[in-house]
Amino acid sequence: MEQLWQEFFSDPSQWWDNRFINKKSSNYPDFEHKSTHEGLWIDGWLNPPWIEGKMAIITSGQLQSDARIRSRAPDSFCNDNLSKLCQEGRLKEALHVLELMLKQNTQAPINTYVVLLKGCAKRKALAEAKQVHTLIIQSGLDSDIFLGNTLVDMYAKCGSVLNARKVFNTMPQHNVFSWTAIISAYADHGQGEEAINLFQQMQQTGIAPDKVTFVVVLKACARTAALEQGKQLHSDIIKCGIESDVVIGNTLINMYAKCDCIKHARQVFNKMSERNVVSWNAMIAGYAQNGLGKEGLGLYEQMKQAGVQPNNVTYGILLKSCASSAALNHGKQLHSDIIRSGFEPDVVVGNTLVDMYAKCGCLEDARQVFNKMIEKDVVSWSAMIAGYVQNGLGKEALALYEQMKNEGVQPNSVTYVILLTSCASIAGLEQGKQLHSDIIRSCCESDVIVGNALVDMYAKCGCIEHARKVFNEMIERDVVSWNSMIAGYAKCGCIDDALELFNNMNERNVVSWSAIIAGYAQNGLGEEALALYDQMKQEGVLPNNVTYVILLNACASIAAVKRGKQLHTDIIRSGFQQDVTVGNTLVDMYVKCGCIEHAHEVFNNMNERDVVSWSTMIAAYAQNGLGKEAMSLYEQMRQEGVQPNSVTYVILLKTCASNLALEWGRQLHLDVIRSGCKSDVSVGTTLVDMYAKCGCIEHACRVFNNMHERDVLSWNVMISGHAQQGLGREALTLLEGMQSEGMIPNAITYVSVLSACSHCGLVDEGRHLFDSMFEDYGVIPTMDHYACIVDLLGRAGCLADAEDFINRMPMQPNVVVWRTLLGAAQHHGHVEIGRHAFDCVMKVEPENDAAYVLLSNTYAAVGQDG
């Protein structure tokens, strides 16, 4: 734009002055070049600051006295009419007006075509745009550079880069606008490398780039992580003397951040003489993108101190950063700032708040924000639904989807993908089929991403035939479609079908390899999975973070610590060691292979740690009997501002239960209440279990009674707790309460109840429950149930009945059953039955030391020498 104004002031006679002759529309330029028809607007927002002074001199002097700028009357009525039709989206009518003009041999002004082309670009109306292009050719205006530039820009905005390139290639001459338009076309459509190549060709032709060109090419470098080209551009910008331009500076920050050069980004930021809110946002986003959430929050504080008011974009970036690192405390502080700054009603900010709370595991807070939103769009609903799905609440997600439809909000493809993922996670086949019907009605079935999600859902629900049917009927299939189908076959154990599909792929990417490797790993073929990884590397395919996670899990499943260490080395070489998911899986792999020290070393070296990282390491200590270390790590976790989730609390409460650490358990109970996790059924159940095992049955009852939701496991834990405390009658009452609430007892329930009967001598009640469990609820007695009855009869002194019961068992009694009878014989001093039980134990486990001790004690009890 600056170059055009310089041309204007060097020779104004080459420009038409349209200002004073019936200029009705602001779309019409104040000055129009006679040859190129390029336009200039006095109040244009891209104008350099020195225009106003220069214009005043020309207007008062040369312009009037020399009359060097001649004027012509535009066809303003025609342009205004067409402009109005285009703004209203009535492109066909606008085309009809233009065609009538041409039929009457009236040559339409250049700007008439420009107005139409811009209208087509705005509406992405490619078919109408091509008709306008044809009319331009028929009118003999296709060699006009201004129209050529507009055509390139229009085709790009309509998504047709190929047509944009054709126009560009046939243009008789190019200027900086032509090159910028075609470079932008490629950059905006994900072809950054070609955009950079075109920029280099532009430089070879001797045309100097302007600020807009630099901005476009820097964005292309950012998208392709082309750091070296970005640095060269930075050097060119310095030579051109435009480094101080705020837009250029902002784009440089973004480029360096996207290329993982956060230090260079900060250097640019620090050198900027002028910074606006976009500058601060770009730098904060750079920190967030590079996993440096704390530095981003620190810069946010500096931003406020500098008197720069954050906007909705700032808050969106920061909230996403908090969500990715589960930094709930920071997120809550931001929420307070948002309320104070008046951005709470902003729908985008509201959506990001919902997402942040959901990803931090605080669904109550997420739902509260969601409910308070004055305006909710499809993204709001999708974010809340995704929150439920991410936290394993598939039923709640589907219920919210129904509410969404009832309120007249039309789901989009993202909503459907989230819901299908939910159905896949809970094996909700019927809900998935209903969603499939909704998708067909909404015309989203042709969306390749939705199709892939349908394939994945059916496969994970075990309906591999339905999955293959959807796959076969997909109009468009990408590599993800094939990968989903391969993963589906693998998930269903059809590894041969998966391998056949894999081998038939024309194009295989890292996801394809990851899917087939996962197939082998999931089917217990860890060694084969690792062999495929070796083949993958030989074929030159670079693994990604997902591949490494799959392989580390395979190593963990077969305790292949040596291969795990080799993978660890490969991960460091490939630069994935700082990926939080890979780091978490490395910790888990070392833990499962018994290498706690290695796990702790990986954990300590992680730059970013989320709630999963901390929970994994805490679980490692807990599972290895290191309860104090687990609790110490929990305290450190909270000090670093990471909010524990329900999984963390379950792990820690189980540790307290196994160590009978009541005081720790009580402290955790308070933390659970403060965190808002008390409504989680798994946390409530584990609290009941902890109190029961620590002997505080009253506290266990209180927690149990206050639970909003109880599942079978909750009842089982409560019944088991009473059984352990010798409260058989209360355990039976709980069973009745469970049944009255419509909850169906399972095999574990009956083990707990029978154990309670055994400890309290409730022989008749126990035998009745055993006899009716299959008839009432279809529970088939297992070895544990038979052992409970043997213990029940043995404790009551009915040893002959117990022995007879064993002899009538429909299965071969195991060591536990015979040892239970042996223990009862020792208690009651019954040598004969004790000897028989001992002999039966010896047949199965000849080296069972406990059996020898029990038999010896049996003889001693009756004064005999064994």
Side-chain angles (χ1 to χ4, degrees), residues 26-102:
S26 61
N27 290 330
Y28 208 89
D30 296 307
F31 304 108
E32 181 183 349
H33 198 280
K34 293 177 180 179
S35 301
T36 65
H37 301 289
E38 289 173 305
L40 289 171
W41 285 261
I42 291 173
D43 59 352
W45 67 278
L46 285 175
N47 286 347
W50 47 264
I51 293 299
E52 189 175 349
K54 279 262 195 181
M55 202 67 232
I57 296 169
I58 283 206
T59 302
S60 59
Q62 297 169 313
L63 189 61
Q64 291 180 358
S65 59
D66 296 340
R68 292 198 298 168
I69 301 180
R70 300 176 184 177
S71 302
R72 67 182 175 92
D75 191 348
S76 58
F77 173 77
C78 172
N79 278 343
D80 287 349
N81 246 357
L82 286 171
S83 181
K84 185 179 179 184
L85 289 170
C86 290
Q87 285 172 1
E88 294 173 357
R90 296 154 65 187
L91 297 175
K92 290 184 179 177
E93 292 177 53
L95 263 169
H96 182 62
V97 171
L98 181 59
E99 287 168 346
L100 283 175
M101 288 176 62
L102 296 175

Side-chain angles (χ1 to χ4, degrees), residues 181 257 488 613 623 763:
S613 321
Q623 289 160 8
V763 177

Side-chain angles (χ1 to χ4, degrees), residues 785-796:
H785 297 106
Y786 283 103
C788 284
I789 294 298
V790 172
D791 187 53
L792 173 75
L793 295 170
R795 283 176 185 267

Side-chain angles (χ1 to χ4, degrees), residues 660-708:
L660 304 181
L662 182 59
E663 288 309 310
W664 285 350
R666 283 176 173 163
Q667 182 58 53
L668 282 169
H669 191 174
L670 292 173
D671 293 348
V672 165
I673 293 168
R674 282 192 287 264
S675 71
C677 287
K678 64 177 180 178
S679 60
D680 186 285
V681 66
S682 60
V683 173
T685 300
T686 319
L687 273 167
V688 171
D689 186 56
M690 183 275 296
Y691 278 123
K693 284 181 177 169
C694 289
C696 293
I697 200 68
E698 289 182 5
H699 283 74
C701 289
R702 195 175 301 130
V703 173
F704 180 80
N705 291 332
N706 288 332
M707 287 175 70
H708 299 300

